[in-house]
Amino acid sequence: MTDLPDPKQPARYDAAEAEPRWRARWKAESAFVAEVDSAKPKYYVLEMFPYPSGKIHIGHGRNYVMGDVVARFKRMSGFNVLHPFGWDAFGLPAENAAIERRVHPKAWTYENIATMKAQLEVLGLSLDWSREFATCDPSYYKHQQRLFLDFVQHGLAYRKESSVNWDPVEHTVLANEQVIDGRGWRSGALVEKKALTQWFFKITHFADELLNDLATLERWPEKVRTMQANWIGRSEGARFTFKLTATPGDIDEIEVFTTRPDTLFGAAFVAIAPDHPLAAAVAKTDPALRNFIAECQRVGTSEAAIETAEKMGFDIGVTAVHPFDPNWTLPVYVANFVLMEYGTGAIFGSPAGDQRDLDFARKYALPVKPVVLPPGADADTHRIDDVAYTGPGTTYNSRFLDGLETRDAIARAIAELEKLGVGHGVTQYRLRDWGVSRQRYWGCPIPIIHCEACGPVGVPLKDLPVTLPEDVPFDVPGNPLDRHPTWKNVACPTCGKPGRRETDTMDTFVDSSWYFARFADASPADRPTNVQATDYWLPVDQYIGGIEHAILHLLYARFFVRAMKVAGHLNLSEPFAGLFTQGMITHETYRDSDGRWLSPEEVERRDGIVFRKCTDRPVEVGPAEKMSKSKKNVVPPEEIADSYGVDCARWFLMSDSPPERDSEWTQSGVDGAARLVQRIWRLLNEALPHLAPVGARPGATDGATLALRRAVHRTTHELTQDLSQFRFNRGVARLYELVNTLGGFDATTPGAGAALREAYDTLALLIAPMMPHLAEEAWALLGHDRMIVHAEWPAADPVLVAHDEVTVAIQINGKRRDEITLRKDAPGPEVEAAVLAMESIARALNGARPKKVIVVPNRIVNVVV
RNA sequence: GCCCCAGUGGCGGAAUGGUAGACGCGACAGACUCAAAAUCUGUUGUCCGCAAGGGUGUGCUGGUUCGAGUCCGGCCUGGGGCACCA
């Protein structure tokens, strides 16, 4: 029996066959390799590069597909597009894998990269792979070491002491995420704070610039700019000193910072950080204070842990003299909520004007004297009970500040402090310098040699890169570089005497702070950047990544380009002209009865109950959460690619949810996308015999044919806007509407051949960014010789986009009562007359006389009675 | 604890201060079929009503406005970040 195709049942689109074929052609023609071309406008689109954690899941896919849709759309729109890819390859998980599975971090990382690259290729991304690198490649981190040395030279990197989370059992520094309820995640030991001398980048040098330039980032989400501004936290206030009545450890004063010097007459106490020098001095002779400080240090270094811990203080028995009254002394406390890193590590507490100070005062029975009278309040009756008044008002109970408004009182208080010579007005930032030292193996070595005679000396450029030794064991916790028998022993480059290598490596945020610049030209072996290439390609026109990077990564990158500019490696200040923060793909989570996470592949649903596959063990189903390896709620892209085709997955990822919001991966959504793919293919095949030849242009049309043309041009117009504005889900809806219109159009309509040609050509072009393989297949079937990746984005005809009639709702007192269809832009009086003549409106008015008729042209008519 | 964001049918969501629920999913009904799958057509916020029509409805609450999902105040719930996860 022969298998003749049924003319009524066109063959189904075979994605499994077509997709690899088109990817091979793109590759063969190097369709996505970018070259500098000054004749064309450039467009650099970049998705935040991934950490090679093992496998790509469809949640990553959303990020890359989004970027790819933009890249393909811009390429078709005439831009010279750069769309590179690489790997953020240093990091803690590789070391954890080494400890847990006895694989070397390097082997583990490069294997993961190979796996993930193969997965990515299936997604059909229009990437220029010729620029690929991993940050753990010595050919990349070599240049990072050079940048580090340049920063040292320009005073942008320096050493100072700061504290880390220390696991006293494992003798290891712990990351904040490895501290769980104050204990080490593996050892369970109570974590201690430990001071180490570490390297810092001087990001505070650019604090003002980083804050002010946020205003220039017009294509960044407002919320990200707000978050960064708050993070930098510029505040104006005063720094001044309290003289002490005793001088423990020869310390005779405390410098504090405050934004509210106007509340000084409400002061009840002075509080210092547990790691303040005065605390240490007093603790020498006070065992109880030593215990208190030790207790504070068990909280760990994270601000969240410190802020959520119960507020506690310890009176150190020293008093401080009020700067405005030598006869007024205040108790000095060590308090667990005062941070050494912020301001001066000391504050004064004015309980009536600060909630935390008030809680503290109530707890330790300190006086609460209100000094700011809220607007409208009465001085005789205004009381502070459990709620502090933190707003502005009129100063009272405050001697020479009495009667002044908050603003003036602040200025007057600062003037007084200056006159007395004990303080001055200052601008303070919450932003702290960036600590980059990590006591870990799998990171970029800090290219420094410590010499007893010369101090820290930079490794000479000719000796870069300082590479990681590979013969290291991971069965003992701690930093293998520090324990290595030979690696750290090296002669001082300056004097030749025996020296020690710096065994700390760099924070992995350093790696991701300049990779986008290296992508402009990843080839130079002798310098970090090819400035000609960076001048052409940078800044990144569209950067796409998760909102979780809104502050740290993006701020560090903004710092880095400024520092690189100082060192002569770049000519710009802002790395990312446009930013889009996409939401995450979520999926339910599954837990076995023993509490282990299970992947979606390991479970099955039977009669609505979820079981571990092939067993009777029920599985606990958790809510949809961010896809993450740790919770195993991931879906691999190959699974979808093999069954439905990757275009289907791409389409689903762009549909439904707005891209900035989280989106749940569901099977029914994938099914819907698969139906659309087949529907397009079927409609195209059915219409094909009726199409005019390639290049035919529709003449004058009317009726259904004109309506079809209008639909095509309107969709083109709207989709162009939607793609430009990252409204992919709306664009998807518009394309569904167009396909519905095509499905309802009779292809045998006389004289419709040219309009149909236009419609199907346009449809193929419009779906090309989201479903590139199907678009190529359709384009070829439509008789075009060149691939659609080289085709031009269609232009909408404004005449066909415009509507000549509009339907306007009619309200009476804001409630919709009827509607009326009028020609577009009909003048107000004409609309009003038409509306008032309507029988339904007359009935609804029931004889009442309209007081006012509001006519919003082409929108709405509201009759007010 | 602090900073930022979100909340709309059974579900994902749409809506320059101007017809709330586009589009998709699901459900229901019908067509085609011996039957099924696939496909196609229709209905689908909710309440009252045979219908015409009307009430009600965007987390809660108060306000601004001719008009509020949208703007403002106060809350509730969920999410992101908090400097060593990336």
Side-chain angles (χ1 to χ4, degrees):
Chain A
M1 213 172 114
T2 43
D3 212 8
L4 280 176
D6 180 350
K8 281 182 192 159
Q9 290 279 311
R12 287 174 68 77
Y13 172 64
D14 184 356
E17 183 278 323
E19 291 185 344
R21 180 156 43 79
W22 287 109
R23 287 199 292 274
R25 272 198 66 185
W26 295 332
K27 199 170 189 175
E29 295 192 20
S30 300
F32 311 124
V33 174
E35 273 163 36
V36 169
D37 177 357
S38 51
K40 269 177 150 184
K42 67 94 185 179
Y43 197 88
Y44 184 178
V45 55
L46 182 67
E47 302 95 52
M48 290 180 186
F49 67 164
Y51 179 78
S53 55
K55 282 185 170 174
I56 294 276
H57 57 69
I58 209 75
H60 297 106
R62 190 187 198 194
N63 183 224
Y64 307 132
V65 170
M66 228 174 255
D68 196 52
V69 170
V70 173
R72 287 178 181 271
F73 170 60
K74 288 291 176 182
R75 211 176 273 121
M76 290 175 80
S77 303
F79 289 89
N80 187 24
V81 170
L82 173 59
H83 189 207
F85 205 89
W87 309 93
D88 188 14
F90 277 134
L92 216 41
E95 288 188 52
N96 291 334
I99 295 166
E100 285 156 23
R101 283 183 256 167
R102 302 183 165 273
V103 275
H104 195 279
K106 180 176 171 183
W108 184 82
T109 302
Y110 281 103
E111 275 165 29
N112 287 348
I113 289 174
T115 307
M116 289 169 73
K117 186 174 178 184
Q119 288 182 291
L120 275 174
E121 284 179 335
V122 170
L123 286 175
L125 304 172
S126 63
L127 291 166
D128 180 354
W129 284 104
S130 73
R131 295 159 194 264
E132 177 193 10
F133 59 80
T135 55
C136 63
D137 296 342
S139 58
Y140 177 76
Y141 71 69
K142 169 186 176 178
H143 305 293
Q144 189 162 305
Q145 293 173 338
R146 156 81 179 272
L147 291 171
F148 182 94
L149 294 172
D150 286 353
F151 290 1
V152 171
Q153 206 133 59
H154 287 91
L156 293 170
Y158 66 98
R159 294 214 301 165
K160 72 169 176 187
E161 200 169 82
S162 73
S163 45
V164 294
N165 298 309
W166 181 254
D167 185 321
V169 170
E170 290 199 338
H171 298 283
T172 308
V173 175
L174 298 177
N176 282 335
E177 73 156 4
Q178 297 174 324
V179 180
I180 294 156
D181 296 330
R183 291 173 182 274
W185 68 341
R186 267 194 280 260
S187 70
L190 281 170
V191 169
E192 297 165 3
K193 270 200 249 182
K194 187 178 170 182
L196 296 177
T197 300
Q198 310 198 70
W199 287 95
F200 283 79
F201 285 156
K202 205 166 186 176
I203 190 170
T204 54
H205 176 74
F206 298 101
D208 251 326
E209 203 182 318
L210 289 168
L211 180 64
N212 295 336
D213 288 355
L214 286 171
T216 68
L217 299 173
E218 285 162 20
R219 290 200 295 116
W220 277 41
E222 191 61 44
K223 65 172 169 177
V224 174
R225 290 191 277 167
T226 307
M227 281 190 266
Q228 291 217 352
N230 291 341
W231 184 262
I232 294 167
R234 185 190 148 104
S235 59
E236 298 193 346
R239 254 176 204 253
F240 62 93
T241 52
F242 284 92
K243 290 278 178 226
L244 298 179
T245 53
T247 58
D250 288 337
I251 298 171
D252 61 356
E253 58 182 32
I254 305 174
E255 187 177 34
V256 300
F257 170 76
T258 179
T259 56
R260 296 295 298 271
D262 59 308
T263 64
L264 247 170
F265 286 107
F269 63 95
V270 172
I272 61 174
D275 36 358
H276 192 282
L278 177 63
V282 176
K284 272 188 188 153
T285 57
D286 187 341
L289 177 56
R290 270 206 298 281
N291 284 341
F292 180 77
I293 293 172
E295 205 173 310
C296 294
Q297 290 186 325
R298 273 203 285 277
V299 173
T301 58
S302 91
E303 192 183 319
I306 292 167
E307 289 284 323
T308 50
E310 192 193 344
K311 308 288 179 285
M312 286 191 303
F314 185 96
D315 187 339
I316 65 171
V318 176
T319 55
V321 181
H322 197 286
F324 294 152
D325 184 348
N327 299 317
W328 181 353
T329 60
L330 300 165
V332 178
Y333 285 81
V334 170
N336 63 352
F337 56 84
V338 180
L339 300 175
M340 196 60 214
E341 286 88 357
Y342 183 63
T344 60
I347 60 159
F348 76 87
S350 193
D354 183 285
Q355 191 60 46
R356 199 172 53 185
D357 293 350
L358 181 63
D359 296 341
F360 192 83
R362 294 291 184 220
K363 184 165 183 173
Y364 295 103
L366 297 166
V368 177
K369 181 169 76 169
V371 288
V372 179
L373 194 59
D378 179 61
D380 294 330
T381 55
H382 180 61
R383 294 282 176 277
I384 295 290
D385 294 319
D386 294 334
V387 181
Y389 177 69
T390 57
T394 310
T395 312
Y396 72 130
N397 291 335
S398 293
R399 308 187 195 179
F400 61 87
L401 298 176
D402 280 352
L404 294 174
E405 293 305 307
T406 296
R407 219 190 146 102
D408 301 328
I410 290 172
R412 177 73 180 81
I414 291 172
E416 189 68 16
L417 290 167
E418 285 173 354
K419 198 177 95 189
L420 293 169
V422 295
H424 52 279
V426 289
T427 301
Q428 181 72 40
Y429 297 90
R430 205 187 76 95
L431 181 68
R432 311 198 293 257
D433 277 338
W434 172 13
V436 296
S437 294
R438 297 290 181 271
Q439 296 71 39
R440 312 197 185 289
Y441 170 77
W442 195 233
C444 171
I446 293 176
I448 293 288
I449 293 163
H450 296 282
C451 169
E452 281 196 18
C454 312
V457 178
V459 172
L461 292 189
K462 67 174 173 52
D463 294 336
L464 296 183
V466 176
T467 52
L468 291 164
E470 294 191 17
D471 52 334
V472 289
F474 290 94
D475 40 12
V476 191
N479 182 358
L481 294 180
D482 204 32
R483 289 196 311 266
H484 194 278
T486 55
W487 182 78
K488 63 183 173 183
N489 300 321
V490 62
C492 169
T494 308
C495 68
K497 284 184 195 145
R500 288 186 63 240
R501 278 194 196 285
E502 171 73 62
T503 57
D504 285 353
T505 51
M506 289 185 219
D507 179 7
T508 55
F509 272 123
V510 180
D511 312 336
S512 54
S513 288
W514 71 286
Y515 74 107
F516 47 86
R518 185 71 185 169
F519 276 143
D521 182 351
S523 67
D526 58 335
R527 62 217 146 110
T529 55
N530 165 359
V531 176
Q532 270 181 317
T534 55
D535 280 352
Y536 177 76
W537 288 115
L538 292 179
V540 175
D541 295 279
Q542 188 61 61
Y543 198 37
I544 305 171
I547 186 66
E548 67 272 21
H549 293 296
I551 298 176
L552 292 180
H553 161 59
L554 291 168
L555 193 61
Y556 290 152
R558 295 181 63 221
F559 157 74
F560 232 79
V561 292
R562 285 168 173 79
M564 285 174 76
K565 187 178 175 186
V566 169
H569 297 296
L570 283 177
N571 291 316
L572 80 160
S573 300
E574 288 296 342
F576 313 118
L579 173 70
F580 188 85
T581 55
Q582 98 280 7
M584 294 169 298
I585 292 292
T586 62
H587 197 284
E588 319 180 297
T589 55
Y590 310 104
R591 261 190 165 178
D592 207 344
S593 44
D594 60 7
R596 280 191 331 113
W597 298 104
L598 297 172
S599 72
E601 292 162 296
E602 293 174 290
V603 304
E604 61 188 351
R605 200 176 283 270
R606 294 197 296 261
D607 300 327
I609 301 168
V610 179
F611 292 94
R612 179 136 195 207
K613 222 173 227 175
C614 308
T615 70
D616 290 328
R617 291 160 69 185
V619 165
E620 188 190 330
V621 180
E625 288 185 61
K626 173 187 180 175
M627 279 191 186
S628 73
K629 211 186 152 194
S630 61
K631 293 192 176 164
K632 286 196 165 180
N633 57 340
V634 293
V635 174
E638 313 84 283
E639 211 172 87
I640 311 301
D642 292 348
S643 47
Y644 297 87
V646 75
D647 279 347
C648 172
R650 291 172 61 114
W651 179 260
F652 174 56
L653 285 169
M654 293 302 102
S655 66
D656 291 352
S657 292
E660 68 277 10
R661 222 185 279 180
D662 288 354
S663 178
E664 191 178 350
W665 183 266
T666 59
Q667 188 56 45
S668 57
V670 181
D671 291 340
R675 267 198 293 276
L676 179 79
V677 169
Q678 294 305 335
R679 188 151 183 241
I680 290 175
W681 189 246
R682 188 165 39 78
L683 288 174
L684 170 60
N685 276 279
E686 284 168 5
L688 207 54
H690 309 288
L691 298 196
V694 173
R697 291 182 171 276
T701 49
D702 56 15
T705 308
L706 177 60
L708 175 70
R709 291 204 66 208
R710 281 187 188 279
V712 167
H713 282 263
R714 280 178 192 152
T715 305
T716 303
H717 174 71
E718 287 178 343
L719 183 65
T720 304
Q721 288 191 329
D722 289 338
L723 293 184
S724 305
Q725 296 165 24
F726 272 77
R727 295 192 296 205
F728 303 114
N729 57 322
R730 262 177 40 149
V732 163
R734 297 290 91 86
L735 285 168
Y736 268 113
E737 283 172 337
L738 178 60
V739 173
N740 288 344
T741 305
L742 288 170
F745 185 81
D746 180 3
T748 63
T749 305
L756 277 170
R757 158 62 59 185
E758 176 187 56
Y760 281 94
D761 275 2
T762 305
L763 178 65
L765 292 164
L766 296 183
I767 64 170
M770 302 200 212
M771 300 197 281
H773 310 84
L774 176 63
E776 291 288 7
E777 194 72 3
W779 196 241
L781 186 65
L782 281 160
H784 298 277
D785 298 328
R786 293 190 76 209
M787 288 197 293
I788 206 166
V789 291
H790 302 304
E792 252 181 65
W793 188 252
D797 180 348
V799 173
L800 292 168
V801 171
H803 294 79
D804 40 33
E805 280 195 329
V806 287
T807 300
V808 163
I810 304 164
Q811 299 179 331
I812 292 175
N813 287 339
K815 281 203 183 295
R816 184 183 179 282
R817 283 293 177 259
D818 204 345
E819 61 181 34
I820 185 169
T821 300
L822 298 158
R823 81 194 144 81
K824 195 163 183 258
D825 298 326
E830 187 183 316
V831 175
E832 186 175 332
V835 165
L836 292 177
M838 286 170 76
E839 195 263 333
S840 62
I841 297 304
R843 181 157 28 91
L845 284 174
N846 199 18
R849 293 181 68 93
K851 252 188 262 175
K852 191 155 62 156
V853 179
I854 292 158
V855 178
V856 182
N858 305 323
R859 282 278 173 198
I860 206 160
V861 177
N862 190 8
V863 182
V864 185
V865 292

